[in-house]
PDB file of all heavy atoms in Angstrom:
ATOM      1  N   LYS A 239      74.577 199.296 169.791  1.00 58.00           N
ATOM      2  CA  LYS A 239      73.190 199.735 169.845  1.00 58.00           C
ATOM      3  C   LYS A 239      72.431 199.496 168.547  1.00 58.00           C
ATOM      4  O   LYS A 239      71.208 199.512 168.518  1.00 58.00           O
ATOM      5  CB  LYS A 239      73.130 201.224 170.221  1.00 58.00           C
ATOM      6  CG  LYS A 239      73.626 201.509 171.636  1.00 58.00           C
ATOM      7  CD  LYS A 239      73.492 202.977 171.970  1.00 58.00           C
ATOM      8  CE  LYS A 239      73.950 203.249 173.402  1.00 58.00           C
ATOM      9  NZ  LYS A 239      73.832 204.683 173.766  1.00 58.00           N
ATOM     10  N   THR A 240      73.156 199.292 167.446  1.00 49.00           N
ATOM     11  CA  THR A 240      72.495 199.102 166.156  1.00 49.00           C
ATOM     12  C   THR A 240      72.892 197.777 165.542  1.00 49.00           C
ATOM     13  O   THR A 240      73.961 197.227 165.837  1.00 49.00           O
ATOM     14  CB  THR A 240      72.866 200.237 165.183  1.00 49.00           C
ATOM     15  OG1 THR A 240      74.268 200.165 164.885  1.00 49.00           O
ATOM     16  CG2 THR A 240      72.531 201.595 165.771  1.00 49.00           C
ATOM     17  N   LEU A 241      72.038 197.256 164.664  1.00 46.00           N
ATOM     18  CA  LEU A 241      72.337 196.015 163.966  1.00 46.00           C
ATOM     19  C   LEU A 241      73.560 196.171 163.070  1.00 46.00           C
ATOM     20  O   LEU A 241      74.391 195.272 162.953  1.00 46.00           O
ATOM     21  CB  LEU A 241      71.124 195.587 163.129  1.00 46.00           C
ATOM     22  CG  LEU A 241      69.912 195.067 163.899  1.00 46.00           C
ATOM     23  CD1 LEU A 241      68.738 194.844 162.950  1.00 46.00           C
ATOM     24  CD2 LEU A 241      70.244 193.775 164.642  1.00 46.00           C
ATOM     25  N   ILE A 242      73.687 197.339 162.406  1.00 45.00           N
ATOM     26  CA  ILE A 242      74.826 197.584 161.532  1.00 45.00           C
ATOM     27  C   ILE A 242      76.122 197.604 162.337  1.00 45.00           C
ATOM     28  O   ILE A 242      77.136 197.034 161.946  1.00 45.00           O
ATOM     29  CB  ILE A 242      74.651 198.916 160.760  1.00 45.00           C
ATOM     30  CG1 ILE A 242      73.445 198.814 159.820  1.00 45.00           C
ATOM     31  CG2 ILE A 242      75.927 199.262 159.986  1.00 45.00           C
ATOM     32  CD1 ILE A 242      73.150 200.089 159.062  1.00 45.00           C
ATOM     33  N   GLY A 243      76.052 198.253 163.510  1.00 45.00           N
ATOM     34  CA  GLY A 243      77.241 198.303 164.365  1.00 45.00           C
ATOM     35  C   GLY A 243      77.675 196.931 164.821  1.00 45.00           C
ATOM     36  O   GLY A 243      78.867 196.617 164.859  1.00 45.00           O
ATOM     37  N   SER A 244      76.706 196.087 165.163  1.00 43.00           N
ATOM     38  CA  SER A 244      77.028 194.718 165.588  1.00 43.00           C
ATOM     39  C   SER A 244      77.649 193.937 164.445  1.00 43.00           C
ATOM     40  O   SER A 244      78.580 193.150 164.635  1.00 43.00           O
ATOM     41  CB  SER A 244      75.758 194.005 166.082  1.00 43.00           C
ATOM     42  OG  SER A 244      75.259 194.636 167.236  1.00 43.00           O
ATOM     43  N   ALA A 245      77.127 194.138 163.232  1.00 43.00           N
ATOM     44  CA  ALA A 245      77.662 193.431 162.074  1.00 43.00           C
ATOM     45  C   ALA A 245      79.090 193.861 161.775  1.00 43.00           C
ATOM     46  O   ALA A 245      79.962 193.051 161.461  1.00 43.00           O
ATOM     47  CB  ALA A 245      76.762 193.679 160.863  1.00 43.00           C
ATOM     48  N   VAL A 246      79.347 195.176 161.867  1.00 41.00           N
ATOM     49  CA  VAL A 246      80.678 195.704 161.582  1.00 41.00           C
ATOM     50  C   VAL A 246      81.687 195.236 162.629  1.00 41.00           C
ATOM     51  O   VAL A 246      82.824 194.885 162.322  1.00 41.00           O
ATOM     52  CB  VAL A 246      80.643 197.240 161.516  1.00 41.00           C
ATOM     53  CG1 VAL A 246      82.052 197.815 161.413  1.00 41.00           C
ATOM     54  CG2 VAL A 246      79.804 197.687 160.325  1.00 41.00           C
ATOM     55  N   SER A 247      81.280 195.233 163.910  1.00 43.00           N
ATOM     56  CA  SER A 247      82.199 194.845 164.983  1.00 43.00           C
ATOM     57  C   SER A 247      82.513 193.365 164.959  1.00 43.00           C
ATOM     58  O   SER A 247      83.529 192.917 165.476  1.00 43.00           O
ATOM     59  CB  SER A 247      81.611 195.216 166.351  1.00 43.00           C
ATOM     60  OG  SER A 247      80.466 194.433 166.635  1.00 43.00           O
ATOM     61  N   GLY A 248      81.627 192.561 164.351  1.00 43.00           N
ATOM     62  CA  GLY A 248      81.865 191.121 164.274  1.00 43.00           C
ATOM     63  C   GLY A 248      81.528 190.372 165.539  1.00 43.00           C
ATOM     64  O   GLY A 248      81.770 189.173 165.640  1.00 43.00           O
ATOM     65  N   GLU A 249      80.962 191.053 166.528  1.00 52.00           N
ATOM     66  CA  GLU A 249      80.678 190.417 167.810  1.00 52.00           C
ATOM     67  C   GLU A 249      79.262 189.842 167.877  1.00 52.00           C
ATOM     68  O   GLU A 249      79.031 188.801 168.446  1.00 52.00           O
ATOM     69  CB  GLU A 249      80.887 191.421 168.954  1.00 52.00           C
ATOM     70  CG  GLU A 249      82.332 191.887 169.092  1.00 52.00           C
ATOM     71  CD  GLU A 249      83.289 190.755 169.398  1.00 52.00           C
ATOM     72  OE1 GLU A 249      82.872 189.751 170.000  1.00 52.00           O
ATOM     73  OE2 GLU A 249      84.465 190.862 169.015  1.00 52.00           O
ATOM     74  N   GLY A 250      78.274 190.568 167.322  1.00 71.00           N
ATOM     75  CA  GLY A 250      76.903 190.073 167.351  1.00 71.00           C
ATOM     76  C   GLY A 250      76.289 190.201 168.726  1.00 71.00           C
ATOM     77  O   GLY A 250      76.140 191.290 169.263  1.00 71.00           O
ATOM     78  N   LEU A 251      75.929 189.046 169.352  1.00 82.00           N
ATOM     79  CA  LEU A 251      75.243 189.038 170.642  1.00 82.00           C
ATOM     80  C   LEU A 251      76.214 188.760 171.782  1.00 82.00           C
ATOM     81  O   LEU A 251      77.176 188.005 171.637  1.00 82.00           O
ATOM     82  CB  LEU A 251      74.140 187.971 170.630  1.00 82.00           C
ATOM     83  CG  LEU A 251      73.079 188.112 169.539  1.00 82.00           C
ATOM     84  CD1 LEU A 251      72.153 186.912 169.547  1.00 82.00           C
ATOM     85  CD2 LEU A 251      72.304 189.408 169.706  1.00 82.00           C
TER      86      LEU A 251
END
Side-chain angles (χ1 to χ4, degrees):
K239 294 182 178 180
T240 65
L241 288 173
I242 295 177
S244 295
V246 172
S247 67
E249 296 299 332
L251 302 173

